[in-house]
């Protein structure tokens, strides 16, 4: 399993004079701009539409300019399409509306910004040398880190110098929002399969901002068996499959992925081993291991089962069984 992260790119709308998340308002009259999609990616087609509750835009001349060059004009031309620029670049769009009282410019800056959201369960166990990240299971503590890439002029703004507004499942989290708060921690609910986390990061002058969201799913803990070799230690490279053959004296080691706590030596977990449905005792000092010995001159099959439970979290439990031959 590889470390995965979610890279979200969004368009920030910067309005000269007034900033609105989803609309652009002209300075002196009631002309609004709707953007579709609201958060386009770099290179995506963007539709811009003018709207007014005071003036009839169907009977006036509307001209569109992009980066200072007039590209389109017509009576009642309220809509305009453009391709969003690459990340780190910006496109200046001006809609000039020729009203009876004079021409009015509505100015929009379309600037793709990058938002990286990383998440990890803080109390979820993973074995040594595991290349993936700890995934959240029921009642896990989850940490989200926002890494926005916002330019002011030619310089990147330090994420520590931004203001963050966090939402969990579309509800504002005031206590976790504020200046420099680029991380958010919560306990997931065992009744929900996933949680939606949203963050808006903005510069202190409110000229630039970027919004990102991520759905954090829930993973059930699982047990994987490995061979513990007397000379080589635990053979993490290869899990034991059903039908594994026991030769002589061997030790089976269990790794309970994504269960809490993240240190399985803490006596929060109960380990119940069974051979052919009969309880067997594991070593007190290493309850995640089970020594086995194949008697010379005998052969057959046995069922090995392990049940792990968290004493304080009723939904933190997992079971695994395999058949071994000897």
């Amino acid at each position: 399993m590889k470390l995965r992260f979610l890279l979200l790119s969004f368009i920030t709308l910067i309005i000269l004079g007034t900033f609105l998340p989803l609309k652009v308002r002209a300075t002196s009259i009631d002309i609004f701009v709707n953007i579709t999609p609201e958060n386009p990616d770099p290179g995506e087609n963007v539709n811009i539409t003018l709207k007014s509750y005071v003036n009839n835009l169907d009977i006036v001349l509307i001209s569109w300019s992009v980066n200072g060059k007039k590209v389109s004009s017509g009576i009642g031309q309220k809509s305009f399409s453009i391709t969003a620029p690459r990340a780190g670049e910006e496109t200046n769009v001006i809609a000039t509306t020729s009203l009876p009282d004079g021409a009015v410019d509505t100015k929009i800056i379309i600037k793709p910004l990058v938002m990286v959201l990383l998440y990890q369960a803080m109390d979820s166990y993973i074995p040594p040398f595991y290349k993936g990240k700890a995934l959240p299971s029921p009642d896990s503590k989850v940490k989200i880190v926002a890494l926005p890439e916002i330019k002011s002029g030619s310089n990147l703004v330090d994420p520590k110098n931004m203001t963050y507004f966090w939402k969990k499942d579309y509800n504002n989290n005031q206590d976790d929002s504020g200046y420099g708060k680029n991380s958010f921690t919560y306990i997931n609910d065992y009744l929900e399969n996933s949680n939606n986390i949203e963050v808006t990061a903005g510069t202190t002058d409110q000229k630039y901002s970027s919004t990102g969201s991520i759905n954090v799913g829930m993973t059930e803990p699982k047990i994987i068996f490995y061979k513990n070799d007397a000379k080589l230690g635990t053979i993490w490279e290869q899990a034991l499959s059903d039908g594994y053959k026991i030769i002589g004296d061997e030790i089976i080691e269990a790794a309970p992925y994504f269960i809490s706590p993240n240190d399985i030596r803490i006596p929060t977990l109960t380990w119940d081993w069974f051979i052919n449905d009969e309880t067997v005792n594991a070593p007190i000092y290493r309850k995640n291991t089970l020594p086995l010995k194949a008697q010379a001159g005998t052969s057959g099959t046995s069922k090995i089962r392990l049940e792990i439970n968290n004493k304080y979290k009723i939904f933190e439990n997992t079971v695994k069984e395999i058949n071994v031959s000897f």
Side-chain angles (χ1 to χ4, degrees):
M1 186 178 297
K2 298 181 179 178
L3 173 65
R4 299 185 297 174
F5 63 88
L6 182 60
L7 179 63
L8 301 175
S9 300
F10 296 91
I11 299 297
T12 296
L13 304 179
I14 314 300
I15 303 91
L16 301 183
T18 304
F19 171 76
L20 297 175
L22 304 180
K23 300 179 181 178
V24 180
R25 181 177 299 187
T27 303
S28 59
I29 61 169
D30 292 326
I31 292 182
F32 298 88
V33 175
N34 291 331
I35 308 296
T36 305
E38 295 177 356
N39 296 307
D41 293 325
E44 188 174 6
N45 186 63
V46 181
N47 295 314
I48 305 172
T49 303
L50 300 181
K51 182 185 295 185
S52 175
Y53 299 103
V54 176
N55 298 277
N56 185 0
L57 301 184
D58 293 322
I59 60 173
V60 298
L61 178 66
I62 302 174
S63 301
W64 296 87
S65 299
V66 177
N67 293 331
K69 181 180 180 180
K70 186 176 179 179
V71 295
S72 181
S73 179
I75 301 295
Q77 190 173 325
K78 299 179 295 184
S79 298
F80 179 71
S81 295
I82 188 172
T83 301
R86 294 179 296 180
E89 299 181 357
E90 66 180 39
T91 297
N92 294 275
V93 178
I94 299 178
T96 302
T97 307
S98 300
L99 298 172
D101 295 333
V104 175
D105 290 341
T106 303
K107 302 179 181 180
I108 310 147
I109 298 176
I110 301 177
K111 185 176 182 179
L113 300 174
V114 175
M115 171 74 80
V116 178
L117 292 177
L118 303 177
Y119 78 92
Q120 186 171 7
M122 299 178 65
D123 58 351
S124 180
Y125 174 80
I126 51 176
F129 311 111
Y130 178 62
K131 295 182 180 180
K133 65 180 175 182
L135 299 177
S137 53
D139 289 331
S140 288
K141 180 184 291 185
V142 184
K143 184 177 183 179
I144 313 287
V145 177
L147 300 175
E149 295 182 13
I150 295 179
K151 277 189 175 181
S152 180
S154 59
N155 300 319
L156 281 173
V157 181
D158 189 337
K160 296 181 181 178
N161 298 330
M162 298 182 194
T163 301
Y164 296 84
F165 299 95
W166 291 92
K167 291 183 179 181
K168 177 178 177 289
D169 295 326
Y170 313 102
N171 296 313
N172 292 325
N173 279 75
Q174 298 294 337
D175 293 340
D176 297 287
S177 301
Y179 179 77
K181 294 185 177 182
N182 70 320
S183 66
F184 174 65
T185 303
Y186 70 97
I187 304 294
N188 63 13
D189 191 337
Y190 62 86
L191 295 176
E192 299 177 356
N193 292 326
S194 65
N195 297 107
N196 179 271
I197 308 299
E198 180 181 312
V199 62
T200 297
T203 55
T204 53
D205 59 10
Q206 298 185 355
K207 287 185 177 180
Y208 304 101
S209 69
S210 183
T211 299
S213 66
I214 183 174
N215 286 311
V216 180
M218 190 182 301
T219 301
E220 293 295 330
K222 62 180 181 179
I223 300 171
I224 297 182
F225 292 132
Y226 299 93
K227 177 181 178 179
N228 187 299
D229 187 85
K231 295 181 179 180
L232 301 176
T234 307
I235 311 300
W236 298 110
E237 295 82 6
Q238 185 174 3
L240 302 186
S241 58
D242 196 50
Y244 174 74
K245 186 174 181 60
I246 301 295
I247 302 176
D249 293 346
E250 292 198 18
I251 297 176
I252 291 180
E253 181 169 341
Y257 285 73
F258 316 132
I259 203 168
S260 65
N262 54 15
D263 186 348
I264 59 175
R265 296 172 298 179
I266 299 174
T268 301
L269 301 176
T270 61
W271 305 74
D272 297 310
W273 289 92
F274 301 86
I275 297 180
N276 294 330
D277 298 324
E278 295 290 334
T279 303
V280 294
N281 294 322
I284 297 176
Y285 58 94
R286 292 194 65 186
K287 293 188 175 182
N288 65 318
T289 62
L290 180 66
L292 296 174
K293 183 176 182 178
Q295 298 292 334
T298 62
S299 62
T301 301
S302 294
K303 181 175 65 175
I304 308 296
R305 186 170 88 251
L306 172 61
E307 299 177 1
I308 304 176
N309 293 276
N310 188 310
K311 297 178 183 178
Y312 307 108
K313 298 181 179 181
I314 62 174
F315 293 96
E316 287 272 0
N317 56 74
T318 181
V319 178
K320 174 75 173 183
E321 66 178 40
I322 62 170
N323 292 304
V324 297
S325 61
F326 54 90

